[in-house]
Amino acid sequence: MKKTSIALGSGGARGLAHIGVLRALEDNGNYQISSIAGSSIGALVGGLYAAKKMDDYADWVSSLSLGDIWKLLDFSYSRVGLFKGDRIMDRLADLVGDTQIEELNLPFSAVATDIQKREEVWINHGSMFEAIRASIAIPGFFTPVRRKGRLLVDGGLLSPLPMTPLLYHDAEFTVVVSLNGNAHQPESEPPIKDDDAQSRDESSNKLLQWFQQTRQTLGLEGESQSSNNSVVDIFAQSVEAMQDRIGRYQLAAFEPDVLIEVPVDACGILDFHRGAEMIDLGYELTVKALKERR
């Protein structure tokens, strides 16, 4: 079997496809995953895989309903993030336990961003829980993490495709998973109208309603609500555009043996209730990519 390093990219709920990718590589029988680097959701899934807890996480996330997702989002009254993330991370902490990265059977790096020094940070030792928490701290959504004097946020901000750490791992084969692949829209699908009041996905629309209600409760109303695009839609599209450009530069500098691209429109960034669907998609895309390489 080929010793294989894998980089798992950032992209919200689309990152559940990483689970399917890892399962497909294992089922193929020709690849031994020997090291992992991940940004944001890639760090979460990659860390759980390295800690041999991924299947437990997959079972849990596949059972979540849309209502369950909203119950997990705990509003933060801080000015640095809409959500604290404690409810989500408490559940993940139950899965990870007190796992230290040094105790893993394979090298693992969670990539975060030092927002003050404007540089990416590789977390490859210490608490797995802390590493994942820092890597998924989406700016404006989840509160940042302070670690060793640094203020850390989501790794996808500067490294949506965390390939550089793989250069330090002894592997024969490299796989990179991007969550910002080309959108697949059927020609028969009607275009989204400018005056369409509905958001592109149900979760974004629900969060917009919740956000507007929260603004009123906190006395923050006053900004125009006439925009037809939800807060999450605008945020997601902005991040996706940025990550797509950065990812292209990263791929130009580091050419993997296999690139697996999950379409950017596969699901919304908060559509974690579509876990089973995303896992299946990741599996199918990996099987296809490995066949095309032959």
PDB file of all heavy atoms in Angstrom, residues 24-45:
ATOM      1  N   ALA A  24     -13.416   6.005   1.389  1.00  0.00           N
ATOM      2  CA  ALA A  24     -13.156   5.463   0.049  1.00  0.00           C
ATOM      3  C   ALA A  24     -11.688   5.086  -0.111  1.00  0.00           C
ATOM      4  O   ALA A  24     -11.355   4.058  -0.725  1.00  0.00           O
ATOM      5  CB  ALA A  24     -13.564   6.480  -1.015  1.00  0.00           C
ATOM      6  N   LEU A  25     -10.792   5.900   0.422  1.00  0.00           N
ATOM      7  CA  LEU A  25      -9.364   5.590   0.349  1.00  0.00           C
ATOM      8  C   LEU A  25      -9.050   4.310   1.121  1.00  0.00           C
ATOM      9  O   LEU A  25      -8.270   3.462   0.656  1.00  0.00           O
ATOM     10  CB  LEU A  25      -8.549   6.748   0.915  1.00  0.00           C
ATOM     11  CG  LEU A  25      -8.462   8.002   0.041  1.00  0.00           C
ATOM     12  CD1 LEU A  25      -7.843   9.157   0.816  1.00  0.00           C
ATOM     13  CD2 LEU A  25      -7.656   7.728  -1.232  1.00  0.00           C
ATOM     14  N   GLU A  26      -9.673   4.150   2.278  1.00  0.00           N
ATOM     15  CA  GLU A  26      -9.464   2.928   3.057  1.00  0.00           C
ATOM     16  C   GLU A  26     -10.015   1.712   2.326  1.00  0.00           C
ATOM     17  O   GLU A  26      -9.360   0.667   2.256  1.00  0.00           O
ATOM     18  CB  GLU A  26     -10.136   3.066   4.425  1.00  0.00           C
ATOM     19  CG  GLU A  26      -9.380   3.923   5.419  1.00  0.00           C
ATOM     20  CD  GLU A  26      -9.922   3.776   6.822  1.00  0.00           C
ATOM     21  OE1 GLU A  26     -11.122   3.475   6.965  1.00  0.00           O
ATOM     22  OE2 GLU A  26      -9.151   3.958   7.779  1.00  0.00           O
ATOM     23  N   ASP A  27     -11.219   1.837   1.778  1.00  0.00           N
ATOM     24  CA  ASP A  27     -11.860   0.703   1.106  1.00  0.00           C
ATOM     25  C   ASP A  27     -11.124   0.290  -0.155  1.00  0.00           C
ATOM     26  O   ASP A  27     -11.193  -0.872  -0.576  1.00  0.00           O
ATOM     27  CB  ASP A  27     -13.324   1.046   0.764  1.00  0.00           C
ATOM     28  CG  ASP A  27     -14.210   1.117   1.996  1.00  0.00           C
ATOM     29  OD1 ASP A  27     -13.760   0.700   3.085  1.00  0.00           O
ATOM     30  OD2 ASP A  27     -15.359   1.590   1.872  1.00  0.00           O
ATOM     31  N   ASN A  28     -10.429   1.250  -0.775  1.00  0.00           N
ATOM     32  CA  ASN A  28      -9.694   0.939  -2.002  1.00  0.00           C
ATOM     33  C   ASN A  28      -8.612  -0.109  -1.760  1.00  0.00           C
ATOM     34  O   ASN A  28      -8.367  -0.975  -2.615  1.00  0.00           O
ATOM     35  CB  ASN A  28      -9.084   2.216  -2.573  1.00  0.00           C
ATOM     36  CG  ASN A  28      -8.337   1.991  -3.862  1.00  0.00           C
ATOM     37  OD1 ASN A  28      -7.183   1.565  -3.860  1.00  0.00           O
ATOM     38  ND2 ASN A  28      -9.010   2.254  -4.976  1.00  0.00           N
ATOM     39  N   GLY A  29      -7.982  -0.043  -0.594  1.00  0.00           N
ATOM     40  CA  GLY A  29      -6.987  -1.047  -0.242  1.00  0.00           C
ATOM     41  C   GLY A  29      -5.578  -0.778  -0.723  1.00  0.00           C
ATOM     42  O   GLY A  29      -4.641  -1.470  -0.320  1.00  0.00           O
ATOM     43  N   ASN A  30      -5.405   0.237  -1.583  1.00  0.00           N
ATOM     44  CA  ASN A  30      -4.075   0.532  -2.108  1.00  0.00           C
ATOM     45  C   ASN A  30      -3.389   1.705  -1.411  1.00  0.00           C
ATOM     46  O   ASN A  30      -2.256   2.045  -1.741  1.00  0.00           O
ATOM     47  CB  ASN A  30      -4.157   0.842  -3.607  1.00  0.00           C
ATOM     48  CG  ASN A  30      -4.560  -0.373  -4.424  1.00  0.00           C
ATOM     49  OD1 ASN A  30      -4.078  -1.476  -4.173  1.00  0.00           O
ATOM     50  ND2 ASN A  30      -5.454  -0.173  -5.381  1.00  0.00           N
ATOM     51  N   TYR A  31      -4.105   2.322  -0.460  1.00  0.00           N
ATOM     52  CA  TYR A  31      -3.582   3.533   0.161  1.00  0.00           C
ATOM     53  C   TYR A  31      -3.629   3.417   1.684  1.00  0.00           C
ATOM     54  O   TYR A  31      -4.649   3.067   2.264  1.00  0.00           O
ATOM     55  CB  TYR A  31      -4.389   4.756  -0.280  1.00  0.00           C
ATOM     56  CG  TYR A  31      -4.478   4.875  -1.778  1.00  0.00           C
ATOM     57  CD1 TYR A  31      -5.584   4.368  -2.468  1.00  0.00           C
ATOM     58  CD2 TYR A  31      -3.450   5.454  -2.511  1.00  0.00           C
ATOM     59  CE1 TYR A  31      -5.663   4.455  -3.849  1.00  0.00           C
ATOM     60  CE2 TYR A  31      -3.521   5.545  -3.896  1.00  0.00           C
ATOM     61  CZ  TYR A  31      -4.627   5.043  -4.563  1.00  0.00           C
ATOM     62  OH  TYR A  31      -4.692   5.115  -5.923  1.00  0.00           O
ATOM     63  N   GLN A  32      -2.512   3.738   2.300  1.00  0.00           N
ATOM     64  CA  GLN A  32      -2.425   3.789   3.759  1.00  0.00           C
ATOM     65  C   GLN A  32      -2.283   5.247   4.160  1.00  0.00           C
ATOM     66  O   GLN A  32      -1.271   5.889   3.871  1.00  0.00           O
ATOM     67  CB  GLN A  32      -1.221   3.001   4.272  1.00  0.00           C
ATOM     68  CG  GLN A  32      -1.040   3.093   5.774  1.00  0.00           C
ATOM     69  CD  GLN A  32       0.288   2.518   6.228  1.00  0.00           C
ATOM     70  OE1 GLN A  32       1.050   1.980   5.439  1.00  0.00           O
ATOM     71  NE2 GLN A  32       0.561   2.630   7.520  1.00  0.00           N
ATOM     72  N   ILE A  33      -3.295   5.795   4.804  1.00  0.00           N
ATOM     73  CA  ILE A  33      -3.245   7.195   5.207  1.00  0.00           C
ATOM     74  C   ILE A  33      -2.213   7.338   6.310  1.00  0.00           C
ATOM     75  O   ILE A  33      -2.394   6.838   7.425  1.00  0.00           O
ATOM     76  CB  ILE A  33      -4.636   7.682   5.661  1.00  0.00           C
ATOM     77  CG1 ILE A  33      -5.622   7.554   4.492  1.00  0.00           C
ATOM     78  CG2 ILE A  33      -4.562   9.127   6.156  1.00  0.00           C
ATOM     79  CD1 ILE A  33      -7.056   7.868   4.847  1.00  0.00           C
ATOM     80  N   SER A  34      -1.116   8.034   5.987  1.00  0.00           N
ATOM     81  CA  SER A  34       0.013   8.111   6.908  1.00  0.00           C
ATOM     82  C   SER A  34       0.158   9.465   7.590  1.00  0.00           C
ATOM     83  O   SER A  34       0.878   9.596   8.582  1.00  0.00           O
ATOM     84  CB  SER A  34       1.314   7.782   6.167  1.00  0.00           C
ATOM     85  OG  SER A  34       1.500   8.657   5.067  1.00  0.00           O
ATOM     86  N   SER A  35      -0.515  10.500   7.066  1.00  0.00           N
ATOM     87  CA  SER A  35      -0.495  11.814   7.708  1.00  0.00           C
ATOM     88  C   SER A  35      -1.652  12.651   7.177  1.00  0.00           C
ATOM     89  O   SER A  35      -2.113  12.451   6.043  1.00  0.00           O
ATOM     90  CB  SER A  35       0.828  12.542   7.478  1.00  0.00           C
ATOM     91  OG  SER A  35       1.035  12.776   6.107  1.00  0.00           O
ATOM     92  N   ILE A  36      -2.102  13.603   8.017  1.00  0.00           N
ATOM     93  CA  ILE A  36      -3.244  14.440   7.662  1.00  0.00           C
ATOM     94  C   ILE A  36      -2.982  15.876   8.092  1.00  0.00           C
ATOM     95  O   ILE A  36      -2.446  16.133   9.171  1.00  0.00           O
ATOM     96  CB  ILE A  36      -4.538  13.956   8.356  1.00  0.00           C
ATOM     97  CG1 ILE A  36      -4.894  12.528   7.932  1.00  0.00           C
ATOM     98  CG2 ILE A  36      -5.705  14.894   8.050  1.00  0.00           C
ATOM     99  CD1 ILE A  36      -6.109  11.964   8.647  1.00  0.00           C
ATOM    100  N   ALA A  37      -3.376  16.812   7.218  1.00  0.00           N
ATOM    101  CA  ALA A  37      -3.419  18.224   7.578  1.00  0.00           C
ATOM    102  C   ALA A  37      -4.814  18.727   7.232  1.00  0.00           C
ATOM    103  O   ALA A  37      -5.371  18.348   6.196  1.00  0.00           O
ATOM    104  CB  ALA A  37      -2.355  19.025   6.822  1.00  0.00           C
ATOM    105  N   GLY A  38      -5.386  19.562   8.083  1.00  0.00           N
ATOM    106  CA  GLY A  38      -6.740  20.039   7.831  1.00  0.00           C
ATOM    107  C   GLY A  38      -6.945  21.478   8.250  1.00  0.00           C
ATOM    108  O   GLY A  38      -6.346  21.951   9.216  1.00  0.00           O
ATOM    109  N   SER A  39      -7.779  22.170   7.492  1.00  0.00           N
ATOM    110  CA  SER A  39      -8.204  23.524   7.843  1.00  0.00           C
ATOM    111  C   SER A  39      -9.693  23.505   8.157  1.00  0.00           C
ATOM    112  O   SER A  39     -10.483  22.925   7.395  1.00  0.00           O
ATOM    113  CB  SER A  39      -7.965  24.507   6.685  1.00  0.00           C
ATOM    114  OG  SER A  39      -6.643  24.966   6.651  1.00  0.00           O
ATOM    115  N   SER A  40     -10.079  24.132   9.270  1.00  0.00           N
ATOM    116  CA  SER A  40     -11.476  24.295   9.628  1.00  0.00           C
ATOM    117  C   SER A  40     -12.176  22.938   9.721  1.00  0.00           C
ATOM    118  O   SER A  40     -11.756  22.070  10.477  1.00  0.00           O
ATOM    119  CB  SER A  40     -12.156  25.224   8.613  1.00  0.00           C
ATOM    120  OG  SER A  40     -13.392  25.682   9.095  1.00  0.00           O
ATOM    121  N   ILE A  41     -13.215  22.706   8.932  1.00  0.00           N
ATOM    122  CA  ILE A  41     -13.926  21.427   8.975  1.00  0.00           C
ATOM    123  C   ILE A  41     -12.982  20.287   8.607  1.00  0.00           C
ATOM    124  O   ILE A  41     -13.140  19.155   9.071  1.00  0.00           O
ATOM    125  CB  ILE A  41     -15.149  21.451   8.015  1.00  0.00           C
ATOM    126  CG1 ILE A  41     -15.977  20.163   8.115  1.00  0.00           C
ATOM    127  CG2 ILE A  41     -14.708  21.715   6.585  1.00  0.00           C
ATOM    128  CD1 ILE A  41     -16.697  19.970   9.419  1.00  0.00           C
ATOM    129  N   GLY A  42     -11.954  20.589   7.806  1.00  0.00           N
ATOM    130  CA  GLY A  42     -10.960  19.583   7.465  1.00  0.00           C
ATOM    131  C   GLY A  42     -10.151  19.159   8.676  1.00  0.00           C
ATOM    132  O   GLY A  42      -9.791  17.988   8.818  1.00  0.00           O
ATOM    133  N   ALA A  43      -9.875  20.118   9.567  1.00  0.00           N
ATOM    134  CA  ALA A  43      -9.161  19.790  10.804  1.00  0.00           C
ATOM    135  C   ALA A  43     -10.046  18.976  11.728  1.00  0.00           C
ATOM    136  O   ALA A  43      -9.575  18.052  12.399  1.00  0.00           O
ATOM    137  CB  ALA A  43      -8.715  21.071  11.505  1.00  0.00           C
ATOM    138  N   LEU A  44     -11.323  19.293  11.744  1.00  0.00           N
ATOM    139  CA  LEU A  44     -12.254  18.563  12.598  1.00  0.00           C
ATOM    140  C   LEU A  44     -12.351  17.093  12.173  1.00  0.00           C
ATOM    141  O   LEU A  44     -12.141  16.185  12.971  1.00  0.00           O
ATOM    142  CB  LEU A  44     -13.629  19.230  12.540  1.00  0.00           C
ATOM    143  CG  LEU A  44     -14.698  18.792  13.539  1.00  0.00           C
ATOM    144  CD1 LEU A  44     -15.747  19.884  13.704  1.00  0.00           C
ATOM    145  CD2 LEU A  44     -15.380  17.500  13.107  1.00  0.00           C
ATOM    146  N   VAL A  45     -12.644  16.884  10.889  1.00  0.00           N
ATOM    147  CA  VAL A  45     -12.789  15.511  10.395  1.00  0.00           C
ATOM    148  C   VAL A  45     -11.449  14.779  10.435  1.00  0.00           C
ATOM    149  O   VAL A  45     -11.374  13.616  10.858  1.00  0.00           O
ATOM    150  CB  VAL A  45     -13.358  15.503   8.964  1.00  0.00           C
ATOM    151  CG1 VAL A  45     -13.351  14.081   8.386  1.00  0.00           C
ATOM    152  CG2 VAL A  45     -14.773  16.057   8.948  1.00  0.00           C
TER     153      VAL A  45
END
